[in-house]
């Protein structure tokens, strides 16, 4: 009995720590986005930046509609390394494109019927699974960043 309580407390502490770190990362991302650009290029991990803005965009939409869920799929090319960019500027680009993708899947989600059949599968009655993908690839001395969604399109 006592051991069960200790185990539960330990698991709860791990969850609190995990979600606290997630919240800190979101706030850090929001603060970085709010900063004005210095105009100086810096070595930047584009994979980490794209992943950060993917999650920031998703949680921003979830704050507006807590019933909405979407699959987030990433495939990052680790060979990219750090790239000399202006992080605030490229971050704004990522955020705008990813926001558009989430907006598209959210609109389709609303139009397909929003009653969730199974929270874990994130399917609504029509079987639609909102999905946003972010991929990176190194191609010679260039980097390709791809954002794909299964929304209604333009």
């Amino acid at each position: 009995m006592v051991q069960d309580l200790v185990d539960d407390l330990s698991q709860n502490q791990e969850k609190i720590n995990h979600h606290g770190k997630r919240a800190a990362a979101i706030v850090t991302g929001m603060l970085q986005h709010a900063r004005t650009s210095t105009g100086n290029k810096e070595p930047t991990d584009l994979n980490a930046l794209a992943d950060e803005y993917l999650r920031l965009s998703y949680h921003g939409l979830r704050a507006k509609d807590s019933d909405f869920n979407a699959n987030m799929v990433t495939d990052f090319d680790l060979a990219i390394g750090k790239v000399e960019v202006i992080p605030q500027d490229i971050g704004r680009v990522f955020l705008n494109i990813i926001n558009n993708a989430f907006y598209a899947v959210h609109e389709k989600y609303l139009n397909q019927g929003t009653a969730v059949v199974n929270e874990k599968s994130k399917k609504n009655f029509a079987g639609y699974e909102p999905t946003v993908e972010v991929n990176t690839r190194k191609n010679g001395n260039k980097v390709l960043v791809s954002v794909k969604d299964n929304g209604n399109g333009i």
Side-chain angles (χ1 to χ4, degrees):
M1 179 72 172
V2 172
Q3 186 59 43
D4 289 340
L5 289 174
V6 170
D7 290 344
D8 284 348
L9 285 173
S10 178
Q11 288 174 353
N12 288 341
Q13 182 181 6
E14 287 175 24
K15 286 179 184 179
I16 290 168
N17 190 26
H18 169 74
H19 290 293
K21 286 179 181 177
R22 252 187 68 228
I26 291 168
V27 170
T28 299
M30 292 171 77
L31 290 172
Q32 285 177 343
H33 178 67
R35 275 190 224 147
T36 55
S37 173
T38 62
N40 297 327
K41 291 183 179 183
E42 303 172 16
T44 304
D45 182 343
L46 290 183
N47 292 332
L49 199 64
D51 190 56
E52 178 181 337
Y53 282 104
L54 174 68
R55 295 178 194 300
L56 181 64
S57 179
Y58 173 71
H59 289 292
L61 184 55
R62 289 259 312 147
K64 294 177 186 170
D65 180 357
S66 62
D67 291 332
F68 175 73
N69 278 303
N71 295 311
M72 294 182 287
V73 178
T74 59
D75 183 15
F76 297 133
D77 186 348
L78 300 178
I80 292 172
K82 294 196 176 198
V83 179
E84 289 282 330
V85 295
I86 302 170
Q88 294 84 2
D89 290 353
I90 196 73
R92 281 188 200 99
V93 171
F94 287 168
L95 188 61
N96 286 333
I97 293 170
I98 294 168
N99 276 344
N100 288 345
F102 276 116
Y103 177 78
V105 298
H106 186 247
E107 284 298 306
K108 185 171 182 177
Y109 171 82
L110 292 175
N111 293 331
Q112 295 283 326
T114 58
V116 174
V117 172
N118 181 342
E119 182 67 27
K120 290 186 181 186
S121 70
K122 301 173 186 170
K123 287 185 180 180
N124 64 6
F125 282 126
Y128 173 62
E129 293 185 59
T131 303
V132 174
E133 284 184 50
V134 179
N135 303 304
T136 60
R137 289 286 164 265
K138 185 171 184 173
N139 187 2
N141 64 348
K142 297 178 182 172
V143 174
L144 172 66
V145 179
S146 169
V147 178
K148 182 176 168 184
D149 66 72
N150 65 347
N152 288 328
I154 298 173

